[in-house]
Amino acid sequence: MPKQKITKGMVVEAAFEVAREHGMEQVMVKSIAERLSCSVQPIYSYCKNMDGLRQDVAIRTKQFIREYIAKRTNPQDLFRSIGQAHLQLARDEPNLFKIFILHQREGISSLEDLYQSESDPHIADFIAEQLDITTTQAKLLHLNMLIYTIGIGTIFSVTTPGIPAEEIFAKQAEAFQAFYNMVTEKK
């Protein structure tokens, strides 16, 4: 039987699957080699260091999450469905959610910096139009919902046997209403 040719793509995909099933801390040369049913030599030939491979896994995770969220987004209810999709991700793929949320973010020294780095530059305008509020109000609402969704999603991803999704979604809806009321309140 001819020897299987191990490619960098195969190494990254195997590392991604290890991270998905067991967490990023289990992405090691030995676990990847076991997944690929090969020696550690091909892994070492593609991975000069584990930090580079973990970065590739983080990129692959981002790609997976974009596709996951897109499949669960309702164009008629975009804002709410994207938030709910992130919570479903926390429940269904807790290790990937942790990689997505807990990765190091460079150059962030304020919530505004975080908002700019994590959101689409046009989303505030879209939310403003959909909810008939100003762009400034929409940015504040969106930032508050991002913070809340990350927090409750983190709780969702680390609880066993798990909080029912309906309870989590209900809390998210309550938070939305509270934040919406706060940003639209006349002063």
Side-chain angles (χ1 to χ4, degrees):
M1 176 187 244
K3 240 177 145 178
Q4 179 183 5
K5 170 108 171 93
I6 305 295
T7 66
K8 182 177 182 185
M10 292 167 69
V11 171
V12 171
E13 194 61 29
F16 169 77
E17 289 300 329
V18 169
R20 184 178 184 186
E21 292 172 22
H22 305 289
M24 187 69 95
E25 58 280 355
Q26 294 302 312
V27 174
M28 298 177 276
V29 172
K30 184 178 179 200
S31 61
I32 297 165
E34 286 173 6
R35 172 83 45 163
L36 292 171
S37 301
C38 69
S39 73
V40 296
Q41 180 54 39
I43 289 55
Y44 281 122
S45 70
Y46 290 115
C47 305
K48 302 303 178 222
N49 64 55
M50 290 306 290
D51 289 338
L53 179 59
R54 287 189 178 104
Q55 189 65 26
D56 290 341
V57 170
I59 291 166
R60 174 67 177 91
T61 299
K62 261 183 138 170
Q63 173 193 5
F64 175 91
I65 290 171
R66 269 194 309 273
E67 293 167 4
Y68 182 98
I69 300 299
K71 287 178 188 172
R72 288 156 182 82
T73 299
N74 175 356
Q76 309 310 319
D77 191 10
L78 201 59
F79 189 54
R80 182 188 342 244
S81 66
I82 289 174
Q84 287 182 347
H86 279 89
L87 292 178
Q88 289 171 331
L89 174 73
R91 179 193 61 205
D92 297 345
E93 300 286 350
N95 291 317
L96 296 182
F97 183 80
K98 290 174 203 166
I99 293 167
F100 174 66
I101 296 303
L102 299 177
H103 76 274
Q104 186 68 32
R105 290 165 172 83
E106 301 292 329
I108 304 296
S109 60
S110 69
L111 290 176
E112 178 62 26
D113 290 345
L114 180 67
Y115 184 78
Q116 294 302 320
S117 75
E118 296 295 316
S119 66
D120 180 301
H122 305 292
I123 193 73
D125 293 330
F126 175 80
I127 294 167
E129 184 179 315
Q130 292 293 302
L131 300 177
D132 195 28
I133 58 178
T134 69
T135 301
T136 302
Q137 290 170 318
K139 279 177 83 172
L140 181 57
L141 174 63
H142 190 213
L143 175 61
N144 286 335
M145 287 305 297
L146 282 172
I147 293 167
Y148 184 84
T149 299
I150 289 167
I152 201 166
T154 302
I155 292 167
F156 204 20
S157 72
V158 297
T159 55
T160 305
I163 301 167
E166 301 76 34
E167 185 177 350
I168 295 290
F169 292 153
K171 285 294 175 195
Q172 187 183 42
E174 287 174 22
F176 169 80
Q177 195 59 57
F179 292 138
Y180 178 81
N181 291 345
M182 180 187 74
V183 301
T184 59
E185 185 175 89
K186 304 288 185 225
K187 295 186 182 193

